[in-house]
Amino acid sequence: MPTATVSPAMIVSRMARLLDQQQVDTQGRWLVVDPVFMEILRDEDSRFLNADFGESGGLRNGLVLNNFHGFRVYTSSNLPAVGTGAGTTGSANQNANFGVIVAGHDSAVATAEQINKTETYRDTDSFADIVRGMHLYGRKILRPEGIVTAKYNAA
């Protein structure tokens, strides 16, 4: 199986093209990358990641970049990895071990939550009341065409 070496910016550009082909709106796109991919992106010595060039470069609540090829870029260590992950060295391991990054649109996913039941009862150890409730939550992919993934290996 032939492998091709591409830059992280090229991968993000391909993900944007896939969303464009699915008629996904350009406003509201996001990209979540793992720390290994973020390190490779920073190693490109890109002006986008340099704090001297305006608003980019500062980490704010996981948001790393506000506009990189049309995406809001977030970093997370909770993304899936196959095998031992993207940092595996050696050409024999490249096809079995890789990291995964995810891109999509705000309208592609949804979450919902509510407090369903509550009850109050007296605390036996103090003069206070205790309130407990049932918190229900869920998530769903509403538009699967609005989400794309990429597998990569840093080796």
Side-chain angles (χ1 to χ4, degrees):
M1 176 180 206
T3 59
T5 303
V6 297
S7 72
M10 291 171 66
I11 293 172
V12 175
S13 180
R14 300 305 185 277
M15 295 174 91
R17 178 187 47 86
L18 290 173
L19 290 175
D20 288 342
Q21 289 175 327
Q22 293 294 330
Q23 308 299 322
V24 176
D25 191 18
T26 57
Q27 296 294 321
R29 290 184 181 183
W30 47 262
L31 171 69
V32 183
V33 300
D34 61 5
V36 175
F37 192 88
M38 196 67 221
E39 177 188 19
I40 298 168
L41 192 60
R42 284 186 179 121
D43 285 345
E44 283 192 343
D45 194 25
S46 172
R47 289 188 306 163
F48 295 113
L49 295 172
N50 189 339
D52 295 335
F53 289 91
E55 196 177 0
S56 61
L59 184 63
R60 295 173 300 277
N61 294 328
L63 179 65
V64 180
L65 294 171
N66 199 17
N67 188 1
F68 184 65
H69 290 297
F71 292 100
R72 295 183 322 263
V73 181
Y74 297 91
T75 184
S76 173
S77 58
N78 294 320
L79 288 169
V82 176
T84 57
T88 305
T89 58
S91 60
N93 295 323
Q94 288 181 353
N95 295 328
N97 303 301
F98 45 85
V100 179
I101 61 173
V102 180
H105 190 268
D106 292 339
S107 67
V109 294
T111 59
E113 63 180 304
Q114 74 178 37
I115 303 295
N116 194 24
K117 295 180 181 180
T118 59
E119 67 180 14
T120 306
Y121 62 95
R122 194 70 158 161
D123 186 4
T124 58
D125 296 329
S126 71
F127 289 108
D129 289 336
I130 297 175
V131 178
R132 66 180 179 180
M134 182 185 305
H135 180 219
L136 303 174
Y137 59 93
R139 65 200 178 290
K140 185 169 178 104
I141 296 176
L142 301 174
R143 295 179 55 207
E145 69 275 8
I147 296 178
V148 294
T149 60
K151 300 173 187 174
Y152 76 97
N153 191 292

